[in-house]
Every structure is written in C-alpha cells, then in structure tokens.
C-alpha cells in the first residue's frame, strides 16, 4: 500500500498540469501582443521623426535660397526638391510688413515675412512650417 502511495505522489510531482501549461501560454501570448503593439508604434514614431529631420533641413536650404535672392524679387512661390527627395514639396508665402504690422516708423518696404511649408505626399498628411523675417539691406535703393 505504501508503494502505491509513493508512486502516486511521485507521478503527480513529475510534470505540469494542462491548466498550468495553458496559463503559461496565455501569459506569453499577452506579452507578445504588447510587444508587437509597441514595435508598431516605434516604427510609426521613427517615420515621423525622419520626416521632421529631413523637412527641417530642406526648409533651411530653401530659406537660405530665398534670403540670397534680391530683396525686391522675394515673392510667394512653390516647388519640389527634385529626385533627391521625391514626394517632398515646398511653398512660400511672402507678406510685406509695414508700420502697422511692426510698430516701427519708416518700416514700409523694409521688411518681409516669409512663411515656408514643407510637405510630404500628395495629400500633404505631413507638414513642417517655419516663418522668418528678412530685412532690406541698408544703403540699397531701388529705382
């Protein structure tokens, strides 16, 4: 009788029950779902960050080109960045600032505000905007 008891005890302690295995598998499955969700979110954030960095550099490039243009020729325009950056487009809106806008006497024809937007894709779902003010170089009179 003692032999049977010890056999039952040793058999029950030698492995896992079906319930224990199912609980362990469910915990692993829930963990994998959470990991896959965070991986997807991480990829999305990386794409947005890539756009922000690229568009900031492209906006700086475009603003430099605008600022190198003769003050009187600065005007609203749009375009793209060519084959190097497919899908990226830019648009500038130029506003002449006067005394009413700045509160500076004699500012008429001296300041322009440039609003630049860089977008990605046809539906412009991602957009980066920057504004700056340029001043006419002193001593340069136009006819």
């Amino acid at each position: 009788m003692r032999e049977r008891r010890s056999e039952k005890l040793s058999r029950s302690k030698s492995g896992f029950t079906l319930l224990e295995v199912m609980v362990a598998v469910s915990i692993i499955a829930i963990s994998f779902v959470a990991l896959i969700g965070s991986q997807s979110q991480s990829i999305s954030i990386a794409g947005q960050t890539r756009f922000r960095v690229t568009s900031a550099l492209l906006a700086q490039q475009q603003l430099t080109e605008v600022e190198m243009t003769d003050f009187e020729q600065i005007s609203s325009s749009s375009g793209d960045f060519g084959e190097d950056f497919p899908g990226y487009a830019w648009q500038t809106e130029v506003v002449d600032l006067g005394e009413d806008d700045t509160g500076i006497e004699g500012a008429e024809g001296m300041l322009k505000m440039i609003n630049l937007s860089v977008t990605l894709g046809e539906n412009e779902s991602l957009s980066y905007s920057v504004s700056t003010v340029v001043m006419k170089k002193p001593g340069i009179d136009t006819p």
Side-chain angles (χ1 to χ4, degrees), residues 7-77:
E7 276 182 36
K8 284 184 181 180
L9 287 176
S10 66
R11 261 195 273 158
S12 65
K13 291 184 178 181
S14 64
F16 296 106
T17 65
L18 179 61
L19 181 61
E20 289 172 331
V21 171
M22 289 176 61
V23 168
V25 168
S26 345
I27 291 172
I28 291 171
I30 291 170
S31 301
F32 280 149
V33 169
L35 286 173
I36 290 171
S38 66
Q39 178 68 18
S40 172
Q41 184 180 13
S42 181
I43 290 170
S44 174
I45 290 171
Q48 291 173 356
T49 302
R50 185 179 317 111
F51 168 76
R52 288 185 185 134
V53 169
T54 303
S55 59
L57 292 172
L58 292 173
Q60 183 63 44
Q61 172 188 339
Q62 193 61 36
L63 281 177
T64 301
E65 288 179 19
V66 168
E67 290 174 350
M68 291 177 64
T69 305
D70 182 44
F71 184 81
E72 298 301 326
Q73 294 178 351
I74 296 175
S75 62
S76 298
S77 58

Side-chain angles (χ1 to χ4, degrees), residues 110 135-141:
M110 296 290 295
M135 182 176 152
K136 184 177 183 180
K137 292 180 176 63
I140 300 176
D141 292 325

Side-chain angles (χ1 to χ4, degrees), residues 67 71 95 97 102 110-114 131-135:
E67 290 174 350
F71 184 81
V95 179
L97 299 177
T102 62
M110 296 290 295
L111 298 170
K112 292 185 180 186
M113 180 168 59
I114 302 168
S131 297
T132 189
V133 175
V134 293
M135 182 176 152

